[in-house]
Amino acid sequence: MYAVIEACGKQYKVSKGDVVFFEKLEAEEGKTVKFDNVILVSEEGKISVGTPYVKGAKVEGKVIAHGKGKKIIVFKYKAKKNYRRKQGHRQPYTKVEITSIKLTAEKAEKVEEKKTTAKKEA
């Protein structure tokens, strides 16, 4: 089972047990974070796609740590004008372990109904 979620302006494909690096989230270490913007959920080959989000689907994760990424150098330069600016940047991140992917009871029942009707027809 996996899901595609939208967080921090980006889309992430996650499954249970994955460790994902998000841009800095306002949550303390050890706390639970919920992601409601679930775009797609795949469960045992059955795919639920939202318009734009899957209703009732939630992804939960546990905040492991906060930190900063590797330093990158931002260098601005204009030829023949003696203009040079050097600046470093370290992007802050939040390390999150995905603990669960949940669908609502209605969605789960519909998926089960489709499975049973597909088996009866075959």
Side-chain angles (χ1 to χ4, degrees):
M1 177 180 215
Y2 69 89
V4 176
I5 62 172
E6 183 178 277
C8 307
K10 298 178 183 175
Q11 295 178 1
Y12 299 90
K13 179 183 174 188
V14 297
S15 58
K16 187 176 178 183
D18 284 354
V19 176
V20 184
F21 291 88
F22 293 102
E23 289 187 23
K24 181 105 170 153
L25 298 174
E26 296 297 324
E28 296 177 18
E29 292 183 19
K31 298 286 183 178
T32 303
V33 181
K34 294 180 183 175
F35 301 101
D36 296 330
N37 296 342
V38 180
I39 297 170
L40 178 140
V41 177
S42 174
E43 184 177 28
E44 298 174 8
K46 303 293 181 187
I47 296 176
S48 301
V49 180
T51 55
Y53 304 116
V54 179
K55 291 182 181 174
K58 293 182 182 177
V59 175
E60 293 183 353
K62 181 181 175 187
V63 176
I64 298 172
H66 296 289
K68 289 185 177 180
K70 286 187 166 185
K71 181 178 270 190
I72 61 165
I73 303 299
V74 180
F75 190 74
K76 297 179 181 180
Y77 170 81
K78 294 193 179 178
K80 302 175 191 168
K81 302 295 181 196
N82 198 25
Y83 176 81
R84 293 169 180 82
R85 300 288 183 267
K86 183 177 178 181
Q87 183 179 9
H89 176 75
R90 294 181 69 190
Q91 184 68 33
Y93 66 83
T94 302
K95 188 176 180 181
V96 177
E97 180 182 3
I98 304 301
T99 55
S100 67
I101 299 172
K102 296 179 182 176
L103 285 170
T104 59
E106 295 174 10
K107 279 280 189 190
E109 288 174 7
K110 287 181 182 178
V111 170
E112 289 296 323
E113 288 176 13
K114 288 181 182 178
K115 287 181 190 176
T116 54
T117 43
K119 287 181 182 177
K120 289 179 183 177
E121 291 175 2

